């Protein structure tokens, strides 16, 4: 059994703070507390449930390094001691999703990919998420009704336990709505994505050559 935690950047949805001083002051630290407390839940669960494999997936080595830094501040200075915890950034995300029972993610298209593959998903929705300015920047929030939402750190931990040790905590499936959401943010599920990208690139290239 696998639980997979897909890391998220501190400024996801807050990207304008890079060039906007007002935004930088308003969103100081980004989703710092959310990331830290979600990480704390994952580590606690990993320690207490050695029979369950935990994947921590970053987009690159910088995200993994930041995760390790946060772990260090939480008192987990040697992650090698948690034998069921695996960190990676170069493994294919779809492969991880396919072998996972449960996905933990925030503000990412991974949520949509996991949804159309029928995986159980929990989205952390506490700390900065409760602040009105931040709430306006949460990706996919208007479609949260389709997913399992953890509104506190304790609720996240309990939902993870419930997923593995009791009946599924998954909401009644609405695959049509999830596929519709995937189409809106990514692409139709018709197997023609590569063809559409190829035609689009050719069209742009032809326009540039005129």
């Amino acid at each position: 059994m696998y639980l997979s935690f897909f890391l998220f950047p501190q400024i996801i949805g807050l990207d304008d703070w890079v060039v906007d001083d007002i935004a930088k002051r308003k969103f100081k630290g980004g989703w710092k507390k959310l990331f830290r407390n979600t990480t704390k839940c994952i580590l606690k669960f990993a320690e207490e449930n050695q029979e369950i494999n935990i994947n921590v997936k970053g987009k690159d080595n910088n995200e993994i390094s930041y995760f390790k830094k946060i772990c260090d501040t939480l008192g987990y200075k040697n992650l090698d001691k948690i034998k069921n915890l695996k960190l990676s950034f170069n493994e294919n995300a779809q492969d991880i999703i396919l072998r996972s029972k449960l996905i933990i993610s925030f503000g990412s298209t991974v949520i949509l990919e996991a949804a159309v593959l029928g995986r159980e998903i929990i989205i952390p929705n506490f700390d900065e998420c409760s602040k009105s300015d931040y709430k306006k920047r949460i990706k996919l929030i208007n479609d949260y009704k389709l997913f399992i939402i953890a509104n506190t750190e304790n609720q996240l931990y309990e939902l993870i336990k419930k997923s593995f040790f009791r009946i599924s905590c998954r909401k009644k499936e609405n695959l049509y709505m999830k596929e519709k959401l995937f189409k809106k943010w990514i692409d139709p599920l018709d197997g023609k994505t590569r063809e559409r990208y190829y035609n689009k690139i050719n069209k742009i290239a032809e326009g540039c050559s005129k």
Side-chain angles (χ1 to χ4, degrees):
M1 292 192 292
Y2 284 87
L3 181 161
S4 294
F5 174 34
F6 283 78
L7 304 180
F8 52 90
Q10 278 188 260
I11 63 169
I12 191 164
L14 313 173
D15 310 72
D16 54 339
W17 83 341
V18 175
V19 294
D20 187 333
D21 288 338
I22 295 175
K24 185 176 288 188
R25 289 193 297 271
K26 184 184 291 186
F27 303 115
K28 186 178 181 180
W31 307 101
K32 187 175 182 179
K33 288 183 180 178
L34 179 67
F35 187 94
R36 177 185 172 85
N37 289 327
T38 301
T39 295
K40 185 163 63 172
C41 280
I42 300 297
L43 294 174
K44 180 183 177 183
F45 185 81
E47 274 194 319
E48 294 180 356
N49 302 279
Q50 295 285 321
E51 74 281 11
I52 295 173
N53 294 301
I54 314 293
N55 291 303
V56 176
K57 172 72 167 71
K59 290 181 179 177
D60 52 39
N61 194 45
N62 289 333
E63 285 195 358
I64 295 296
S65 296
Y66 182 72
F67 175 79
K68 289 179 178 178
K69 179 181 177 181
I70 295 301
C71 291
D72 188 71
T73 66
L74 290 168
Y76 294 88
K77 298 184 182 299
N78 186 2
L79 293 178
D80 290 337
K81 290 182 178 180
I82 307 177
K83 301 298 183 183
N84 57 328
L85 185 71
K86 178 185 177 183
L87 312 183
S88 68
F89 64 87
N90 53 8
E91 189 174 0
N92 184 276
Q94 285 71 36
D95 290 341
I96 293 176
I97 292 170
L98 284 170
R99 70 166 178 260
S100 299
K101 171 180 173 54
L102 176 65
I103 305 291
I104 309 292
S105 186
F106 174 80
S108 171
T109 55
V110 163
I111 295 169
L112 305 178
E113 293 174 60
V116 297
L117 288 170
R119 295 304 183 265
E120 197 165 319
I121 305 151
I122 301 176
I123 303 174
N125 186 50
F126 43 87
D127 291 323
E128 290 90 359
C129 297
S130 63
K131 299 178 181 179
S132 58
D133 285 336
Y134 280 84
K135 192 173 291 187
K136 296 172 186 175
R137 302 298 190 94
I138 298 174
K139 295 180 182 295
L140 304 175
I141 191 169
N142 292 330
D143 298 291
Y144 268 16
K145 61 184 178 293
L146 296 174
F147 307 102
I148 303 162
I149 308 301
N151 291 312
T152 67
E153 182 184 338
N154 287 337
Q155 188 179 30
L156 174 60
Y157 186 76
E158 290 304 316
L159 285 169
I160 294 172
K161 285 202 303 181
K162 187 175 181 180
S163 175
F164 281 96
F165 301 117
R166 287 179 282 184
I167 60 172
S168 173
C169 59
R170 184 179 345 195
K171 290 185 176 180
K172 185 178 180 180
E173 290 295 345
N174 191 335
L175 190 56
Y176 169 74
M177 291 301 296
K178 290 177 179 177
E179 288 180 352
K180 187 176 178 181
L181 194 60
F182 187 94
K183 179 179 178 180
K184 174 183 176 182
W185 290 102
I186 303 179
D187 210 44
L189 291 162
D190 57 4
K192 297 181 179 179
T193 298
R194 182 179 294 181
E195 180 183 337
R196 276 190 289 273
Y197 275 91
Y198 179 81
N199 291 337
K200 183 68 174 179
I201 291 169
N202 273 346
K203 187 175 181 180
I204 293 171
E206 289 172 3
C208 292
S209 62
K210 290 179 180 180

